[in-house]
Amino acid sequence: MIAYNSERFSLVLLGKTNSGKSSFLNYITDQDVSIVSSQKGTTTDPIKKSMEIHDFGPVLFFDTAGFDDDTNLYEKRIEKTKKTIEKADLILYFLSMEDELNDIFKLKKEYKNIIFIASKQDLDIGEKIFEKFESINPLKINLKNKNDRDKFFDKIRSDFKIEDKTITKNLVKENDLVLLVIPQDAEAPKFRLIKPQVMTIREIIDKNATAVSTNLKNLENTLNSFNKKPDLVITDSQYFKEVYNILDKNIKLTSFSVLFSAFKGDIDYYIESVKKLDEGTRKILIAEACSHPPISEDIGRVKIPKLLKKNYDNIEIEFARGDDFENIEKYDLIIQCGACMFNEKYVKERIKLAKEKNIPMTNYGIVLAYLNGILEKIYI
């Protein structure tokens, strides 16, 4: 599988200012990734660095602003740090003498996946930090000792595992023929396929199946050229109805967005939630992970709203992009994109928040299948 950042194991570096986060990131990656300074507030926006840990897999480090940053931008920086925590598969907390033991115990209780690090072991202060927090058995790191890098990697390998997930699950088997209907309209990026399409094609090939791609206009010609019927057809969700009408009804049909909703979301909750459209839903939030400017054929800004307004009277639609996911309690329904740019942890944090606030939440592909009357006929 291609190691996109959203599919990497995410490690977020937390701690007070000057606790050694940035120095550790430079040390562990053996590169000058973060600026290191004794001045408070050096790290502003979270800094990302991807790498591969041998015998573990692809990871993504986030270096964040210190929790006791007292600069003028403190609140904005801390807010970004909190957003980053929501994406963390693992938190690396860097201890300092300014930390209180009770606060550290609270963190240990709140976060299941957290490693406490007593860095600066090349300095006198490092041993004092370890002694203060010895009861929680922090990992000692000496930045002048290259062996401690391997000690950290061994800790990751022994305590954690990257789940080997599949996008197509049991829908695709060895020797299957899979037809991909990939529209190249104004919304499609020039000279390339979008991430869900690339990841799906790669997985089909890895399963020793055959992937054939076409567009909607050439779909019938492609089907007629086969010696056998495709075992599965995967389409862009916006063409669900058109593709369904062309296909033999014995051919399995799904979409990239639907596959991704099951790959990193809660497909059962999405299906349950979409039915709320027929129960008086009035205020809807359409939340898109990508930040490309909306265009005339945009699926989230144009096509889905148009279809919603065609089917339901007096609905009000608002939009959000990227990490913007605030004040969701004012909505009757949230419709999220396939979220291919978010990692699974962050998608599930959003779903968790929606459930806590009793807000139904669904997905582009599920909505389009439902509005076209074929939700029960597609494969999940």
Side-chain angles (χ1 to χ4, degrees), residues 60-326:
L60 181 65
F61 288 96
F62 290 85
D63 187 12
T64 64
F67 275 120
D68 58 340
D69 176 2
D70 57 4
T71 61
N72 293 334
L73 296 176
Y74 167 76
E75 290 186 2
K76 290 184 178 179
R77 289 177 177 176
I78 294 306
E79 187 59 36
K80 287 198 172 184
T81 295
K82 290 178 179 177
K83 288 281 188 183
T84 306
I85 292 173
E86 293 178 352
K87 302 172 184 176
D89 294 303
L90 172 63
I91 292 173
L92 305 178
Y93 191 90
F94 290 77
L95 298 161
S96 72
M97 293 303 293
E98 286 70 38
D99 283 309
E100 297 295 335
L101 192 56
N102 286 340
D103 293 334
I104 297 304
F105 279 130
K106 289 178 183 177
L107 282 174
K108 188 176 182 180
K109 185 177 181 180
E110 182 176 359
Y111 297 104
K112 178 182 178 182
N113 291 344
I114 186 167
I115 294 176
F116 293 100
I117 295 179
S119 192
K120 303 187 178 183
Q121 293 302 308
D122 52 316
L123 305 172
D124 291 339
I125 191 67
E127 187 58 33
K128 293 178 180 177
I129 292 172
F130 178 78
E131 290 175 354
K132 180 176 180 179
F133 300 100
E134 188 172 3
S135 61
I136 61 168
N137 193 29
L139 185 67
K140 298 172 75 171
I141 296 292
N142 182 338
L143 299 186
K144 292 186 178 179
N145 185 345
K146 290 186 178 180
N147 291 331
D148 279 7
R149 186 182 291 114
D150 290 329
K151 182 171 71 176
F152 171 76
F153 291 148
D154 287 341
K155 175 73 173 173
I156 298 298
R157 282 189 286 259
S158 65
D159 290 4
F160 303 95
K161 183 180 180 181
I162 296 178
E163 185 180 357
D164 188 14
K165 296 191 65 179
T166 169
I167 299 169
T168 58
K169 303 190 292 297
N170 61 353
L171 292 177
V172 175
K173 305 180 296 298
E174 187 173 1
N175 298 323
D176 275 356
L177 173 61
V178 183
L179 178 59
L180 311 171
V181 183
I182 301 176
Q184 294 302 305
D185 52 25
E187 191 182 7
K190 195 172 184 179
F191 303 130
R192 64 182 177 89
L193 300 176
I194 62 175
K195 178 182 168 184
Q197 296 162 357
V198 174
M199 289 181 64
T200 304
I201 291 171
R202 173 60 187 269
E203 181 172 296
I204 292 168
I205 294 171
D206 286 344
K207 287 186 171 184
N208 293 318
T210 300
V212 177
S213 61
T214 188
N215 57 25
L216 182 63
K217 184 178 180 180
N218 198 42
L219 175 57
E220 291 189 77
N221 287 336
T222 304
L223 288 167
N224 291 332
S225 70
F226 292 150
N227 292 324
K228 69 166 190 171
K229 294 178 181 178
D231 299 287
L232 176 69
V233 173
I234 306 173
T235 181
D236 191 286
S237 297
Q238 60 186 308
Y239 295 111
F240 252 144
K241 189 69 172 180
E242 292 87 341
V243 174
Y244 177 78
N245 287 337
I246 291 173
L247 289 183
D248 184 309
K249 298 305 177 281
N250 293 322
I251 298 175
K252 293 184 290 186
L253 173 66
T254 189
S255 80
F256 296 103
S257 182
V258 169
L259 291 177
F260 266 71
S261 69
F263 180 60
K264 61 175 65 176
D266 185 335
I267 188 70
D268 292 332
Y269 190 61
Y270 289 161
I271 292 173
E272 173 191 338
S273 294
V274 75
K275 297 172 184 177
K276 299 295 181 181
L277 281 169
D278 292 321
E279 298 178 14
T281 294
R282 287 295 172 261
K283 194 160 189 176
I284 297 173
L285 173 66
I286 295 181
E288 187 172 22
C290 299
S291 56
H292 64 265
I295 55 178
S296 59
E297 297 182 39
D298 191 273
I299 186 171
R301 295 271 176 153
V302 179
K303 292 187 175 180
I304 290 178
K306 184 178 179 179
L307 199 53
L308 285 168
K309 290 177 179 178
K310 178 181 177 181
N311 285 272
Y312 303 99
D313 296 326
N314 303 318
I315 62 169
E316 182 180 344
I317 301 173
E318 294 184 2
F319 303 92
R321 286 185 179 275
D323 289 344
D324 186 12
F325 201 68
E326 309 294 335

Side-chain angles (χ1 to χ4, degrees), residues 6-20:
S6 59
E7 312 322 319
R8 291 176 177 268
F9 187 84
S10 297
L11 304 95
V12 175
L13 284 59
L14 297 181
K16 295 185 181 297
T17 52
N18 296 331
S19 58

